[in-house]
Amino acid sequence: MSFSRRDILRASIAGAFAAGASTLPTRLLAANNTAKIGMNIPMTGDYAPWGLPGLYGCQIVADDINAAGGVKIGGDSYNIELVAYDHGYDTEKAVQGYKKLVLQDKVKMVMMLGGSTVASVLPWAERRKMLTTTLLPSDITPDSDYLIATCESHPLYNVTGVEYLAEKFPQAKTAAIVTNNDAEYGLQSAATYKAAFEVAGIDVIDVNLHGFDITDFAPIVSSVLAKKPDIFCMATSFYVTPLMEQLFHQGYQGKIISCTLDYYDEIIAKTSREFVDGTIFQFPDFDDPMLNQPGVNFPNPGDFDAKFRKAHPNDWSAVSWEYPAILLNWIEGAKAAGSVEPTAVLKALKSAKNPEFVFGEGRWWGSQLWGKDNAVVGRWPVVVVEGGKARIKEYRSVSGWLDKHKDVLIKHMKELGLRTV
Amino acid sequence: MELVLLSIINGLIQGGFFALFAVGLVLIFGVMGVVNFAHGELVMVGAYTIWLVHAQNGLGYIPTLILAILLVTIIGLLMERFLFRPTRNDPLAGLICSIGVLFVLQVAATLVGGEGPSKQVPPPFHGTLVLFDFLRIPYQRLFGLGISALALVALWYFLTRTRFGWALRAVALDRDAAALQGININQISMIAIGVGAALAGLAGGLMAPLTNINPHMGHNVIITAFIVTIVGGVGSLSGAVYAAIIYALFHTFVTVYFGGTVATICGLILMVVVLIVRPAGIMGVRVSE
Amino acid sequence: MPGKLKKILGGLALLAVLLVLPHLLEFHHQDLLIFLTINVLVVSSYRLVTLTGEWSLIHAVMMGVGGYTATLLFKNLELGMWFTLPLAGVVAAMVAGLLCFPLFRMTQFYFLIGSFAAGEAIRLCWIEFVNPFGGTGGLSGVEPPLIGGIDFLEPVPYFYLTLAVVGLCLLILYRIEKSRIGLTLHSVHWKAPLAESVGVDTWRYRALAFIIGSFFVGIAGGLKVHYLGTITPNQFGVGFMVFILIWVIVGGYNRFYGPIIGVVVLTLFDESIRSFDEVRPAIYGAVLILSILFLPMGLESLPARMRQWMGRASAAASSRMTDG
């Protein structure tokens, strides 16, 4: 993929932002073809924060692209149209939604969240050769040709936070991990953190797993704090807020590291700014100046952030920019292929030695762990809360860590009973 | 050692809440003979009221708490008048109706609060009480414990020292005999469900700043209430209170050492064991089948 | 036309309709048809259990026991559907058999709550023990067979397969009900002391109904998982159990076909309100309440009540005529 196409894309979006989108002659828009992109995501229920904000983000990006005249793919201009289906994280509905998107709406690609909802659609998707994206590379199987994870590489990126922590706070020697007990999110994350801690020479003194029906976190936090860990690690983001509250009330003063820290303003409101400052996690706000560095492949992150917060003030979550990044990545693939058809786009994407990755240095990876190199890994930001605001401190290489230590990771995944090849 | 003490205190606080909604359920079943499957949703309505009126719209916590109690009581009274009274002779029908209410209330919560992540209510009482350097109890929890205890004492007083209280217990013991004595069954039923619902609303309001608020939070409440009710003895209110405290302590300790899901599984098995070995529960009166 | 011939022709007509139907529907409704057929087996098997007058709240979980059995057998032992389906039924029946001992010491209210507790405990075990049950995310990767070039993942072939299996099961259930066992179950329901006085062991018959009912719903669970490909604990929770109750109560349970009417009518109704997705549970709740209050004998009683109503109307009309 050449540098110049990316620049043109960025320039046109920037131009649209600057000019204020609405002045294109309708004749120009009407002449465009439409590329329909499906989103089979949870928009309601417990998993909604990892679906709905993604739709909002994609809408912003799609609107901007269309306002700038669409994208040129194989000699034709295409507008991007999003078709969303809410499966509420129910596997039956996910299957129904997927079939509807493919057979009725005739989409060219389906974006999904991941987990059991992806597993339920895979057999059908493979038989129909429909390109599907997920945020969880652990969904990849040796037989899933058409499933790719081009943005989030959950939970591999967690290793960067631990590396940073170990380097900057060498006096922290023990860690406790608290997470959900489900195989898709909690256990995957726990295994990764365990591996990362082992590599960093930090002793994991407790792994506390809890179910989804927990309403009272006081006993869990008490039990963990009784072991006096230097580091409290939250490998899940379903219950970060109540866990942080308990840590605050029970007077914890050690380091806190988490995978996500969604709605951290609320957390600060319930605890205090001093308490939350210094927490390390993995998901930046997009008005962060570090995102304007070269090597980051997201057009105008600051404008995106501003538009998002204006349209949806309380809905920014970790996935707000991830689905758009996947969409942009797909567009690059389509342009390289000169076609929107799933098989062609997949081939174009997979044939790129250095696939475009949102934070740079992308590489196809995954066969050692899941049987197929269908996940893109690269650099990932380490984010720390400072003065009540999330700030990227640095980027670290996930692929670099994996090259050196993937055996440790595989060992820990096997220990927790997770599927590895 | 500190962990044990902290767990005991956490257990007692939980026990207070469990007692509130278990006692409400027992009252309704004892007096009206119907199992209110929607009891968890009544607690949920109490919690949502705090979220909507206090957290989102700024009304003070205490006034909102009173509002929550009133609202849930009204819902309970409506349920009695339109659902339980017509089905009085068929308890299964009453139970099914309460399931219908369960669904309606869950949808109402979804419409009011929107779907999405659980709601959080910032605790109105800040700060933590620190005892002996290691025992830390947030004031919000102490408030919850204190009010639960007060409410239970007030209930005890009501049941043992007032005319209505005596009438309630009479109806629970033998409805026909009570009717023969001139006790107005309709009125007593309404009082029973009114009090039961009020306690549920109070529990919801007290729990709101301490838990995740979402349309499905009632599920755990009803399971806990069933376990406590059965173990304590289906007809017995004091049994429900003792069982609530014991079960809460048990659940808290098992959660600390083995996890929350294991704790609930054990609770359910315990309940089945009690049903087999001593269906009357700890304090219940022998019931002939 | 003699009655029996009418019934046979009616049955054949119904069969013809069912065979042609999937070809007339779009894919999305084809899926719905498959799940509807499976649910017909679920409610019919539940009715057998309720024939003894006891309402259990564990039926949905039993379907899950069958489903998980089929899944584990398929994934670990690579058995095909010919084996996983009957084994799913057998394991569900065995679990039911074990549960008879604790559960059937209780009746009525206690049995209801006890069965609810036992079911919930089993479901929580699926959540807690990630190995082998997969936890909250469940298990996936189950596939239907590929027999002689026919891919049963496609809805139309799978529908025929489901139709055949469910049809056979319904036939067996119907025969059981009409047999001596069925009559004895009825007597246990309506006249338990009397039945006991003639030597009927009510415990045995309650257990029998429970075990047989669980066997068939276990098969239904296997059918479902082989089509859907995944199984999760939440598919068999209180929500689904309540649907079963609604289907059986709204349809009526005095006749064999009552619950079938209930599930068909309500599923169609559910499809028609699909656009009101948010409020669907509330509509169900309202339907439940209204049917309990106003149609306690269920939809199956409608024909009889209508005849009654028309009879009264025509009698009133004729009396007016004679008066006037």
Side-chain angles (χ1 to χ4, degrees):
Chain A
M1 272 170 275
S2 76
F3 197 70
S4 57
R5 285 202 199 106
R6 253 204 316 272
D7 267 335
I8 295 175
L9 183 58
R10 261 201 225 166
S12 36
I13 292 178
F17 274 111
S22 53
T23 56
L24 280 164
T26 36
R27 140 173 76 85
L28 189 66
L29 285 171
N32 280 4
N33 296 328
T34 310
K36 288 193 181 176
I37 305 291
M39 295 184 73
N40 193 19
I41 52 175
M43 305 195 321
T44 55
D46 289 330
Y47 291 77
W50 295 341
L52 193 52
L55 173 63
Y56 293 153
C58 285
Q59 277 169 347
I60 294 175
V61 166
D63 287 344
D64 290 332
I65 291 177
N66 295 340
V71 265
K72 255 196 165 336
I73 297 172
D76 290 319
S77 272
Y78 283 87
N79 281 344
I80 304 290
E81 185 184 321
L82 299 167
V83 186
Y85 186 92
D86 173 23
H87 59 61
Y89 214 75
D90 178 79
T91 44
E92 278 186 58
K93 283 191 182 173
V95 173
Q96 284 172 4
Y98 197 91
K99 290 181 179 176
K100 168 188 174 288
L101 288 170
V102 174
L103 296 177
Q104 193 173 306
D105 298 304
K106 308 220 190 308
V107 298
K108 297 300 177 191
M109 190 258 283
V110 182
M111 289 194 269
M112 293 189 67
L113 169 60
S116 54
T117 47
V118 167
S120 62
V121 304
L122 267 188
W124 198 85
E126 288 293 315
R127 292 193 202 205
R128 295 273 171 158
K129 296 193 169 23
M130 173 49 59
L131 186 58
T132 311
T133 66
T134 173
L135 295 182
L136 303 186
S138 45
D139 292 335
I140 295 170
T141 70
D143 304 313
S144 59
D145 294 319
Y146 279 82
L147 180 69
I148 54 178
T150 54
C151 176
E152 172 157 347
S153 34
H154 178 97
L156 304 172
Y157 50 70
N158 288 325
V159 303
T160 59
V162 172
E163 264 194 352
Y164 172 84
L165 175 64
E167 206 175 281
K168 300 282 187 238
F169 301 95
Q171 66 275 26
K173 284 283 160 226
T174 58
I177 301 176
V178 176
T179 182
N180 284 74
N181 59 8
D182 66 308
E184 309 161 325
Y185 300 90
L187 291 183
Q188 296 278 349
S189 230
T192 312
Y193 274 111
K194 282 177 75 185
F197 282 130
E198 178 179 315
V199 164
I202 296 173
D203 200 15
V204 176
I205 55 176
D206 191 17
V207 178
N208 189 303
L209 304 173
H210 60 81
F212 282 84
D213 58 344
I214 290 281
T215 47
D216 186 15
F217 288 87
I220 294 175
V221 174
S222 310
S223 138
V224 171
L225 291 190
K227 307 200 165 99
K228 300 204 183 328
D230 297 326
I231 302 167
F232 190 92
C233 170
M234 288 179 282
T236 175
S237 70
F238 285 105
Y239 298 118
V240 168
T241 305
L243 283 170
M244 291 285 278
E245 267 195 88
Q246 281 305 315
L247 287 171
F248 177 69
H249 284 302
Q250 296 191 29
Y252 180 66
Q253 290 179 342
K255 293 302 295 171
I256 302 175
I257 182 171
S258 172
C259 174
T260 58
L261 207 71
D262 289 335
Y263 314 115
Y264 62 80
D265 305 314
E266 260 185 39
I267 300 176
I268 292 178
K270 283 190 154 192
T271 57
S272 79
R273 183 177 277 206
E274 297 74 40
F275 175 72
V276 179
D277 271 356
T279 307
I280 300 169
F281 66 113
Q282 314 282 169
F283 284 90
D285 290 338
F286 260 45
D287 57 351
D288 198 309
M290 288 273 282
L291 288 171
N292 294 323
Q293 280 185 358
V296 175
N297 296 312
F298 196 97
N300 284 307
D303 288 318
F304 174 78
D305 186 285
K307 279 192 168 183
F308 192 104
R309 308 269 180 186
K310 185 151 175 261
H312 311 282
N314 297 319
D315 287 312
W316 180 273
S317 81
V319 307
S320 308
W321 53 269
E322 290 192 305
Y323 290 92
I326 293 177
L327 177 60
L328 291 167
N329 177 280
W330 178 87
I331 292 175
E332 288 302 307
K335 285 158 96 180
S339 152
V340 295
E341 294 308 315
T343 312
V345 175
L346 177 67
K347 186 147 173 254
L349 285 171
K350 290 297 297 285
S351 63
K353 280 243 165 343
N354 296 351
E356 180 166 300
F357 184 64
V358 59
F359 297 117
E361 289 180 21
R363 239 177 59 192
W364 286 108
W365 199 83
S367 51
Q368 305 93 317
L369 209 48
W370 303 299
K372 232 171 161 54
D373 285 330
N374 274 12
V376 179
V377 295
R379 300 192 309 168
W380 198 272
V382 176
V383 181
V384 177
V385 182
E386 283 181 349
K389 184 92 177 81
R391 283 269 156 263
I392 299 177
K393 298 305 283 177
E394 56 184 50
Y395 294 97
R396 284 188 173 249
S397 173
V398 177
S399 35
W401 190 98
L402 286 172
D403 283 338
K404 285 190 238 137
H405 308 296
K406 65 175 182 296
D407 296 316
V408 182
L409 178 61
I410 293 175
K411 175 184 81 171
H412 281 283
M413 291 215 162
K414 283 186 156 55
E415 258 177 38
L416 283 179
L418 297 169
R419 175 180 61 88
T420 59
V421 290
Chain B
M1 188 55 210
E2 299 136 23
L3 185 58
V4 171
L5 274 177
L6 206 50
S7 299
I8 292 178
I9 294 180
N10 279 330
L12 286 175
I13 295 172
Q14 281 291 93
F17 297 142
F18 287 1
L20 284 181
F21 41 77
V23 158
L25 194 67
V26 172
L27 207 50
I28 296 172
F29 180 74
V31 172
M32 298 162 63
V34 71
V35 180
N36 181 15
F37 238 83
H39 209 68
E41 275 58 39
L42 293 179
V43 173
M44 176 195 76
V45 170
Y48 261 89
T49 308
I50 300 288
W51 174 77
L52 185 65
V53 177
H54 165 71
Q56 298 291 105
N57 286 312
L59 186 65
Y61 180 63
I62 305 285
T64 315
L65 195 56
I66 298 177
L67 181 65
I69 296 174
L70 280 173
L71 181 61
V72 177
T73 309
I74 292 174
I75 296 176
L77 292 173
L78 288 172
M79 283 173 74
E80 201 285 322
R81 177 66 190 81
F82 292 109
L83 299 179
F84 295 143
R85 199 180 296 186
T87 59
R88 188 170 288 160
N89 293 320
D90 184 358
L92 181 65
L95 183 147
I96 305 281
C97 280
S98 72
I99 294 180
V101 173
L102 186 159
F103 278 160
V104 170
L105 288 177
Q106 274 187 1
V107 168
T110 318
L111 291 176
V112 160
E115 289 266 19
S118 301
K119 312 277 177 256
Q120 308 283 347
V121 170
F125 297 107
H126 296 268
T128 311
L129 177 68
V130 186
L131 294 173
F132 314 117
D133 254 0
F134 64 84
L135 224 45
R136 310 178 85 97
I137 313 157
Y139 284 120
Q140 187 65 44
R141 287 181 177 257
L142 284 175
F143 178 74
L145 179 62
I147 300 293
S148 316
L150 264 176
L152 289 169
V153 167
L155 181 70
W156 172 82
Y157 186 86
F158 172 72
L159 287 174
T160 52
R161 299 263 189 274
T162 69
R163 199 166 54 93
F164 282 124
W166 279 94
L168 268 171
R169 292 159 73 199
V171 174
L173 215 51
D174 188 336
R175 186 188 299 172
D176 296 320
L180 283 172
Q181 294 277 55
I183 292 179
N184 184 337
I185 302 294
N186 284 344
Q187 189 187 53
I188 294 300
S189 297
M190 292 200 99
I191 293 179
I193 204 169
V195 173
L199 291 171
L202 175 64
L206 290 175
M207 284 167 64
L210 303 170
T211 185
N212 291 325
I213 300 176
N214 61 69
H216 303 288
M217 60 188 287
H219 182 68
N220 281 329
V221 171
I222 197 77
I223 291 182
T224 305
F226 279 157
I227 296 176
V228 168
T229 309
I230 295 289
V231 169
V234 170
S236 165
L237 289 162
S238 47
V241 175
Y242 297 141
I245 297 173
I246 296 172
Y247 179 65
L249 287 168
F250 168 78
H251 197 271
T252 305
F253 272 95
V254 178
T255 302
V256 167
Y257 293 104
F258 297 104
T261 309
V262 174
T264 309
I265 295 177
C266 291
L268 289 166
I269 294 177
L270 177 67
M271 177 164 126
V272 175
V273 167
V274 168
L275 277 172
I276 299 168
V277 166
R278 194 183 155 80
I282 302 176
M283 305 273 306
V285 174
R286 240 338 27 207
V287 185
S288 62
E289 296 287 317
Chain C
M1 244 196 267
K4 196 149 189 217
L5 189 60
K6 247 207 281 189
K7 274 195 184 165
I8 294 180
L9 283 178
L12 283 175
L14 182 62
L15 188 63
V17 167
L18 287 174
L19 288 175
V20 171
L21 192 55
H23 296 282
L24 304 172
L25 299 172
E26 30 177 274
F27 68 93
H28 165 59
H29 291 132
Q30 287 171 339
D31 268 10
L32 200 68
L33 192 60
I34 292 174
F35 293 127
L36 175 57
T37 313
I38 295 175
N39 286 334
V40 164
L41 182 58
V42 173
V43 296
S44 300
S45 57
Y46 188 57
R47 182 166 173 281
L48 188 71
V49 176
T50 64
L51 274 185
T52 55
E54 299 287 349
W55 290 73
S56 89
L57 293 182
I58 201 177
H59 205 65
V61 171
M62 284 309 184
M63 187 180 180
V65 171
Y68 271 98
T69 305
T71 307
L72 290 170
L73 288 174
F74 179 84
K75 294 192 68 146
N76 295 327
L77 298 180
E78 305 201 349
L79 295 177
M81 255 177 106
W82 306 113
F83 294 102
T84 62
L85 282 190
L87 283 173
V90 164
V91 171
M94 280 174 14
V95 172
L98 283 173
L99 286 174
C100 282
F101 292 96
L103 289 182
F104 284 169
R105 286 160 152 260
M106 328 168 209
T107 57
Q108 298 298 314
F109 164 69
Y110 297 97
F111 175 69
L112 199 76
I113 303 296
S115 63
F116 174 69
E120 187 68 7
I122 292 177
R123 213 178 60 85
L124 288 175
C125 286
W126 294 334
I127 293 176
E128 175 67 21
F129 301 110
V130 178
N131 210 354
F133 297 116
T136 335
L139 299 166
S140 58
V142 183
E143 292 190 42
L146 202 72
I147 304 175
I150 305 177
D151 181 4
F152 279 93
L153 188 59
E154 291 294 321
V156 175
Y158 201 84
F159 171 65
Y160 291 142
L161 178 65
T162 309
L163 196 59
V165 174
V166 171
L168 182 63
C169 293
L170 285 180
L171 202 65
I172 300 175
L173 278 168
Y174 186 72
R175 299 297 296 216
I176 290 178
E177 189 175 325
K178 291 296 173 201
S179 74
R180 272 197 73 189
I181 300 177
L183 292 173
T184 318
L185 290 172
H186 273 289
S187 73
V188 168
H189 177 23
W190 293 110
K191 294 264 182 271
L194 184 60
E196 271 172 9
S197 73
V198 295
V200 171
D201 182 353
T202 52
W203 190 98
R204 249 186 83 212
Y205 279 91
R206 287 176 67 197
L208 201 60
F210 184 50
I211 292 174
I212 297 177
S214 301
F215 174 76
F216 284 110
V217 81
I219 292 181
L223 278 172
K224 178 170 182 181
V225 77
H226 271 283
Y227 186 65
L228 199 57
T230 47
I231 187 167
T232 61
N234 286 333
Q235 290 171 348
F236 308 106
V238 174
F240 187 60
M241 186 68 232
V242 170
F243 278 136
I244 299 175
L245 283 176
I246 296 177
W247 291 329
V248 171
I249 287 170
V250 171
Y253 45 91
N254 282 323
R255 273 176 258 271
F256 185 77
Y257 55 79
I260 299 180
I261 297 180
V263 71
V264 171
V265 168
L266 284 175
T267 304
L268 293 175
F269 176 66
D270 191 39
E271 254 314 282
S272 64
I273 56 170
R274 179 157 283 272
S275 41
F276 307 108
D277 204 39
E278 262 189 358
V279 292
R280 264 162 74 205
I283 297 180
Y284 265 114
V287 166
L288 194 58
I289 292 175
L290 290 173
S291 66
I292 280 278
L293 291 179
F294 299 115
L295 200 64
M297 302 306 283
L299 287 172
E300 70 183 13
S301 63
L302 268 183
R305 286 181 77 166
M306 286 193 58
R307 258 179 266 137
Q308 218 180 19
W309 178 81
M310 287 200 288
R312 255 187 272 139
S314 64
S318 53
S319 69
R320 253 184 272 130
M321 286 199 305
T322 53
D323 283 347

